[in-house]
Amino acid sequence: MSAFIKLTLQEVHSLSIEVLSHAGFGQAHALAIAKMLYTCQLDDCQSHGLFRLFMCIETIKAGKIEPHILPTVSTTDASIIHADAQGGMSLLAIDSAMPKLIEKTRKHGIAALVVNRCFHFSALWPEVERLSKAGLAAMAMVPSHAWVAPAGGIRGSLGTNPLAFSWPRLGQDPFTFDFATSGFARGEIELYKRAGKSLPEGVAIDKHGQSTTDAQAALDGAMLTFGGYKGSALSIMIELLAGPLIDDMTSLESMAFAAGTGGAPHHGEIILAFDPNLFSGGKVVDNDQRAERLFADIVDQGARLPSQRRYAARARNLERGYVEIPQQLHEDILKLTVS
């Protein structure tokens, strides 16, 4: 059984800053990335917490990212905000544009944030939850690299293509989900490899197109979408909305751009926000009660709402003031501060 160690919440943040700064990220980018890693680690989201420091470092070493450049944000009278990351990580661009997205959504009822020319490695739920905390419903999506085979296919054409959604709840944590349209997230397979564990059946194929439960064979081959043709169609939709619609790369193009180098994929992101107040004609309270009756009926059956375990982990970690991560992961991260 793997040994775990405790890190205080401050140590999670300071360790992230130390690693990122040592690797060459400018202060603004390091702070934005560290905030995301802290948020995910706080919720015991191991695949997108401190573990993602390795992808950040790999992205720097690949030599294509701009670790110091600042994003530009532009708006018009329309309800679309454009944030050009200019070859940097997505997170600083999103942080810079988020206030404008909230402002536009409250004015028009619906607005979109288009993020272009960014490297992306992170979870999407922190972004949509920031909007739901502002009283807005929101969804976000990105392509990635062509690691995922379409239903009936034998090689990667699609990205893991995550989709996140968050619904504000009065006085409660929002209803949020964030999942890859692949059966597994890429980071989960990497964690299975680190742990020497076999994958479940039906989530990946090897380089010959045969089903595999071996994590390395899956990384060398292709992942599969969830839900067969339905998941595959949803993944293609995300390719289009977060690619050609916003004048940015598909997962195939992102992989070609990488030219065999490692690190985070380079592409775009789209975030859509909705104002329940304007959509409902000012009847937010009435319709919050309608939504709560639905949630209550689901829970009453013994079912679990998405993110309930994550919220419980957040409350527990905030109360005790620390998180737990595998000792080996911590030792490997410390090596990044001296390499």
Side-chain angles (χ1 to χ4, degrees):
M1 185 174 180
S2 300
F4 282 74
I5 68 160
K6 298 175 182 177
L7 289 180
T8 68
L9 301 183
Q10 179 56 45
E11 286 173 332
V12 172
H13 187 267
S14 58
L15 179 59
S16 299
I17 293 292
E18 183 180 2
V19 170
L20 294 164
S21 300
H22 181 76
F25 282 98
Q27 183 182 28
H29 280 286
L31 288 171
I33 295 169
K35 180 174 70 175
M36 170 65 74
L37 299 179
Y38 171 89
T39 300
C40 292
Q41 197 65 59
L42 180 64
D43 285 13
D44 284 348
C45 185
Q46 300 288 354
S47 63
H48 286 77
L50 290 174
F51 172 68
R52 288 284 164 156
L53 283 167
F54 297 105
M55 178 171 278
C56 294
I57 304 312
E58 191 178 3
T59 305
I60 281 270
K61 290 181 177 179
K64 290 181 176 287
I65 194 170
E66 297 286 350
H68 293 272
I69 198 162
L70 300 180
T72 62
V73 178
S74 60
T75 64
T76 65
D77 290 338
S79 57
I80 300 173
I81 302 99
H82 289 269
D84 186 348
Q86 301 196 85
M89 281 292 189
S90 64
L91 298 171
L92 185 57
I94 291 168
D95 284 352
S96 301
M98 190 65 75
K100 280 290 184 185
L101 177 59
I102 294 172
E103 177 187 327
K104 288 277 190 183
T105 307
R106 287 176 174 159
K107 177 180 179 181
H108 297 286
I110 183 170
L113 171 57
V114 171
V115 184
N116 290 115
R117 297 200 295 163
C118 68
F119 286 85
H120 189 279
F121 73 92
S122 49
L124 295 177
W125 62 261
E127 296 164 5
V128 292
E129 279 196 2
R130 284 169 66 181
L131 291 163
S132 59
K133 286 177 181 177
L136 306 176
M139 61 196 312
M141 60 197 84
V142 292
S144 58
H145 275 173
W147 290 314
V148 182
I154 58 171
R155 65 177 182 272
S157 296
L158 307 171
T160 53
N161 294 6
L163 171 68
F165 173 80
S166 192
W167 174 268
R169 300 174 68 186
L170 297 179
Q172 300 187 64
D173 291 319
F175 169 87
T176 305
F177 66 76
D178 179 0
F179 55 75
T181 49
S182 55
F184 259 41
R186 184 81 170 178
E188 287 181 287
I189 293 181
E190 291 168 347
L191 286 175
Y192 268 68
K193 177 186 172 183
R194 287 179 66 89
K197 295 167 57 179
S198 296
L199 299 171
E201 294 281 354
V203 301
I205 55 177
D206 63 21
K207 62 184 179 181
H208 305 294
Q210 301 300 310
S211 179
T212 184
T213 60
D214 182 83
Q216 184 59 57
L219 293 172
D220 293 336
M223 301 153 71
L224 298 176
T225 60
F226 74 83
Y229 288 95
K230 294 180 180 179
S232 185
L234 185 61
S235 183
I236 296 169
M237 179 198 77
I238 292 170
E239 289 281 347
L240 298 173
L241 292 179
L245 178 70
I246 63 171
D247 187 33
D248 221 307
M249 295 184 183
T250 64
S251 296
L252 281 170
E253 291 171 320
S254 178
M255 183 167 278
F257 174 84
T261 60
H266 182 274
H267 48 66
E269 176 176 355
I270 186 167
I271 302 176
L272 304 173
F274 313 85
D275 185 349
N277 183 58
L278 291 182
F279 268 90
S280 68
K283 299 178 181 178
V284 172
V285 174
D286 291 345
N287 287 285
D288 178 75
Q289 293 172 353
R290 178 174 281 128
E292 289 304 318
R293 287 193 292 272
L294 170 61
F295 297 146
D297 191 68
I298 292 169
V299 173
D300 184 61
Q301 306 176 48
R304 179 176 58 86
L305 295 177
S307 293
Q308 281 187 329
R309 285 189 295 199
R310 186 165 57 77
Y311 295 142
R314 181 189 303 174
R316 179 181 64 249
N317 292 335
L318 283 172
E319 181 178 4
R320 65 188 187 179
Y322 66 84
V323 298
E324 294 181 318
I325 68 169
Q327 181 176 338
Q328 186 61 57
L329 173 62
H330 184 242
E331 292 173 0
D332 291 343
I333 290 173
L334 290 178
K335 295 174 184 176
L336 299 177
T337 65
V338 296
S339 60

